[in-house]
Amino acid sequence: MDDQCVPPQPLRRRPAQRRSARRVERMLDACAELLDEIGYESLSTTRIADRAGVAIGSVYQFFPDKRAITQELTRRNVELFVSRVGRRFMEEDYVGWWEAVDAIIDEYVDMHRTVPGFRSLHFGDVVDLNLLDSDSDNNTVIAGRLRGLLLQEFGLADSHELDIAVLVAVEAGDAVLKLAFRRDPHGEPEVIAAAKQLIRGFLSRQLRSWATQTARP
């Protein structure tokens, strides 16, 4: 049932009752804890069921295999990440988009340090580059969500160029932040600071370029 050749699949069915929903959440929590403790290769539906305190049949009621559970956990992490960023945007005042970028990175770093399973998945790319969407790789999905927040908050002009710039920023930032946590389990501060400088510098150059092009007669 845990064959890694099986493509990612969604929940077999959505829990209709609160009790079932809580049971699914326990399974996802158990999956997150086990990923940090033993890694994906040693993960199994049996271990998830034991940790969650549910019968193995309850697991298969909702998930066909461990990959599907990991996929759903990744989706939950993404929704948590985007909602936390969105909440900060509502609660805090920023001088400009560059401070919002710092806030996005701060949320990523904090979740990496505090949310079980987050550091093991990195939005799923350890398991599958298309875990979130069969047609788009994971960072493209994340870039789209963050781009939407930036457009809504700062009124940047929507364009293909902005799509590419945000995607490149997400890819570059993701790679450098992973380096920070490889060098230090809590994230090496100097590398995290470098990630912020890298992303802010790149986006600043892109925005200046667009402004210049727009101003030309």
Side-chain angles (χ1 to χ4, degrees):
M1 298 298 290
D2 287 334
D3 186 353
Q4 294 183 45
C5 295
V6 177
Q9 300 177 54
L11 277 164
R12 289 184 181 211
R13 65 182 181 86
R14 290 283 166 184
Q17 298 178 343
R18 185 179 302 174
R19 183 173 60 183
S20 296
R22 286 198 297 264
R23 194 183 311 141
V24 169
E25 288 300 310
R26 289 207 308 275
M27 295 175 200
L28 297 178
D29 291 342
C31 178
E33 293 170 3
L34 289 166
L35 280 169
D36 286 346
E37 293 172 15
I38 62 175
Y40 183 76
E41 294 300 321
S42 298
L43 187 69
S44 70
T45 51
T46 301
R47 282 178 162 166
I48 291 170
D50 288 344
R51 177 64 63 91
V54 302
I56 190 65
S58 293
V59 174
Y60 291 130
Q61 254 188 309
F62 296 99
F63 300 103
D65 50 38
K66 73 176 185 180
R67 183 182 285 263
I69 304 173
T70 306
Q71 179 185 24
E72 191 63 23
L73 175 61
T74 302
R75 291 183 188 278
R76 188 176 75 169
N77 283 346
V78 169
E79 292 305 319
L80 178 60
F81 176 59
V82 173
S83 68
R84 284 176 55 153
V85 170
R87 185 166 59 248
R88 283 190 68 158
F89 280 16
M90 291 181 64
E91 294 174 350
E92 300 175 2
D93 292 325
Y94 301 120
V95 173
W97 61 264
W98 52 91
E99 290 188 352
V101 168
D102 283 357
I104 290 171
I105 293 174
D106 288 341
E107 286 299 328
Y108 180 97
V109 169
D110 186 65
M111 287 185 66
H112 206 293
R113 290 170 174 162
T114 62
V115 176
F118 190 86
R119 68 175 182 267
S120 299
L121 287 176
H122 298 293
F123 297 134
D125 57 358
V126 172
V127 181
D128 194 316
L129 283 171
N130 293 81
L131 197 56
L132 295 172
D133 186 324
S134 60
D135 297 322
S136 302
D137 66 69
N138 297 327
N139 277 342
T140 298
V141 176
I142 298 301
R145 299 294 296 274
L146 295 179
R147 169 186 160 278
L149 287 172
L150 289 170
L151 284 170
Q152 180 179 353
E153 182 72 13
F154 297 102
L156 300 178
D158 195 3
S159 66
H160 175 67
E161 289 78 12
L162 179 62
D163 288 348
I164 297 300
V166 174
L167 177 58
V168 171
V170 167
E171 289 282 356
D174 185 45
V176 177
L177 289 170
K178 285 174 184 173
L179 172 64
F181 283 95
R182 284 202 306 272
R183 293 172 61 91
D184 182 335
H186 297 288
E188 188 170 330
E190 292 83 0
V191 179
I192 292 171
K196 290 181 177 181
Q197 293 173 1
L198 175 71
I199 295 170
R200 286 173 61 161
F202 170 72
L203 288 177
S204 291
R205 288 190 295 274
Q206 295 301 309
L207 289 173
R208 281 198 299 271
S209 173
W210 299 334
T212 301
Q213 293 174 13
T214 303
R216 289 173 181 167

